[in-house]
Amino acid sequence: MVAGEASGDVLAAELLCGLRQRWPALAAAGVAGPAMQAQGCTAWWPSERLAVRGYVEVLRHYAEIVGIRRALRARWLHDRPDLFIGVDAPDFNLPLAADLRAAGVPTVQFVAPAIWAWRPERAALIRRACDHVLCVFPFEPALLAEHGIAATFVGHPLAAVIPRQPDRAAARAALGLPADTPVVALLPGSRRAEIAHLLLRFLAAAQHMRREQPRLAFVLPAVPHLHDAIAAQVAATPAATAVRVLRGQSHRALAACDVALVASGTATLETALFQRPMVIAYHMHPLSWWLTRRKMRQPWVGLPNILAGDFVVPELLQEAATPAALARETLAWLDEGDSARARRAALQARFAALHQTLQRDTVALAVRAIEPLLQRGPAVV
């Protein structure tokens, strides 16, 4: 198994738990984060080593990333596993899967590359690399079938984990937050490059917001391996007294908050499933942004907007992601006027419907799809 970042680690761990229930003697190894390791996966490399986004950022780590992939390929071609499962991270996983599949190793991709949003040319590589694709969105199997790719909609695991009616009061009590204080969750990403580009912008935005509404409280859930570095950066800014840095606990922070300022990525879908208003932001190296924009097929980058086919929440990208603009759009969700209340209610209804669409018995459906590929019986996944 290979999972390349924090969100992939969580997805892979859920799947691995189900695989182990079906095949108790199953052994798993590869690139794994703490959640996968807790399920017994041997980590030859930690997931955080692959957690890089953006063309320029990838180039800086290119030699290391390619070295890991070459080592995995050599190891698994010499000692062939019964199955390879790549979890998200398509730029890393698909070329590896293609080589393994060519050598007779069955391959599965969990989370379909978003060819409907950008880089449609990857369909040919997916067809060559994957025996089966486990899709988290319902429209994807039909789209992949057009390219001759076998796929199954298994739902999104987050929809099964996140409650339909999040308990804001319980989450606030657990975090020691007052019940009547407006709370903003700051989620600047789980990758080092994201933190480098967004953390200070988010903290400056928090300062803007506090000047407008002094009662605001801020929580910032940090991925554990970056917690200390993030906490040190926060402590060195004027926002230190207003922003509470958490070690993990992103779901508790989202349940507790009234609105979230969040980096584009899986966290935007989590925020939507918690039925919280949000402002989506992103910033990367200018060259990476220019190359990314050229390959985009849709006007949206945030998953909630892509799935809705509309700008249901604001997106502030690159130079538009100024602290003042981030603050302004975030505070707009907290307005107590009638139009703002109606806007929040409409968004909540839309997100509730999305939750219902995505909630399936993901692990059971995934195991059922994988089972035909394990005819020889599992040894190493």
Side-chain angles (χ1 to χ4, degrees):
M1 299 184 85
V2 172
E5 57 182 303
S7 60
D9 177 43
V10 173
L11 296 181
E14 292 286 333
L15 177 57
L16 184 54
C17 179
L19 292 171
R20 274 242 164 80
Q21 290 175 2
R22 174 65 181 83
W23 295 285
L26 178 145
V31 179
M36 294 168 69
Q37 293 174 55
Q39 290 294 334
C41 186
T42 300
W44 295 333
W45 288 274
S47 290
E48 63 187 83
R49 297 279 284 275
L50 305 184
V52 181
R53 175 180 287 185
Y55 292 94
V56 173
E57 293 78 4
V58 168
L59 285 174
R60 290 174 180 156
H61 299 271
Y62 181 79
E64 179 185 18
I65 292 171
V66 170
I68 292 172
R69 188 162 59 198
R70 284 175 178 165
L72 287 171
R73 181 190 295 115
R75 184 166 189 163
W76 282 330
L77 289 178
H78 179 265
D79 185 10
R80 297 184 186 183
D82 292 292
L83 181 69
F84 168 71
I85 302 177
V87 184
D88 213 352
D91 289 325
F92 185 94
N93 281 324
L94 291 179
L96 175 59
D99 289 343
L100 294 175
R101 190 180 185 213
V105 176
T107 61
V108 169
Q109 174 69 17
F110 188 16
V111 183
I115 59 173
W116 38 269
W118 74 309
R119 295 178 64 184
E121 71 277 3
R122 286 197 291 186
L125 176 56
I126 300 169
R127 183 172 58 248
R128 188 170 76 252
C130 302
D131 286 290
H132 208 91
V133 178
L134 304 176
C135 301
V136 298
F137 300 124
F139 59 85
E140 292 176 318
L143 175 61
L144 292 173
E146 294 176 5
H147 297 278
I149 301 164
T152 301
F153 171 54
V154 298
H156 203 296
L158 289 171
V161 172
I162 296 170
R164 290 283 191 94
Q165 295 182 331
D167 192 334
R168 181 183 275 110
R172 289 192 175 198
L175 293 175
L177 294 168
D180 60 348
T181 297
V183 176
V184 179
L186 305 176
L187 291 92
S190 60
R191 301 176 176 94
R192 291 184 187 277
E194 290 173 333
I195 300 299
H197 281 268
L198 290 174
L199 179 59
L200 293 181
R201 291 171 185 265
F202 281 20
L203 295 176
Q207 285 296 100
H208 279 275
M209 285 185 261
R210 282 275 287 204
R211 284 195 289 270
E212 294 287 329
Q213 295 192 27
R215 292 181 61 246
L216 284 182
F218 298 86
V219 290
L220 194 163
V223 290
H225 71 276
L226 295 178
H227 172 273
D228 293 348
I230 290 173
Q233 288 189 66
V234 172
T237 70
T241 58
V243 177
R244 181 176 170 190
V245 181
L246 309 175
R247 189 178 296 275
Q249 303 188 79
S250 61
H251 284 192
R252 185 166 283 166
L254 288 171
C257 77
D258 295 289
V259 61
L261 177 55
V262 55
S264 180
T266 302
T268 63
L269 181 61
E270 291 176 291
T271 307
L273 293 174
F274 274 99
Q275 300 174 32
R276 300 297 185 249
M278 75 188 86
V279 175
I280 297 172
Y282 213 77
H283 194 278
M284 59 175 64
H285 190 283
L287 178 57
S288 292
W289 174 246
W290 180 76
L291 292 169
T292 298
R293 289 290 293 179
R294 292 181 65 209
K295 293 180 177 291
M296 288 175 59
R297 302 181 67 197
Q298 299 186 9
W300 318 283
V301 302
L303 279 171
N305 290 337
I306 290 172
L307 295 172
D310 194 7
F311 283 102
V312 296
V313 298
E315 294 182 358
L316 296 173
L317 312 174
Q318 283 305 101
E319 299 314 312
T322 64
L326 295 172
R328 182 181 63 252
E329 295 291 347
T330 304
L331 288 176
W333 284 116
L334 297 174
D335 188 276
E336 288 301 319
D338 289 342
S339 61
R341 289 175 184 270
R343 182 187 179 208
R344 288 195 297 269
L347 186 72
Q348 184 176 7
R350 207 153 187 173
F351 285 168
L354 174 64
H355 200 151
Q356 184 174 359
T357 298
L358 297 183
Q359 187 169 352
R360 297 289 186 273
D361 191 343
T362 298
V363 171
L365 291 170
V367 170
R368 191 179 306 157
I370 287 170
E371 189 164 10
L373 300 176
L374 282 173
Q375 296 175 351
R376 292 175 292 161
V380 176
V381 177

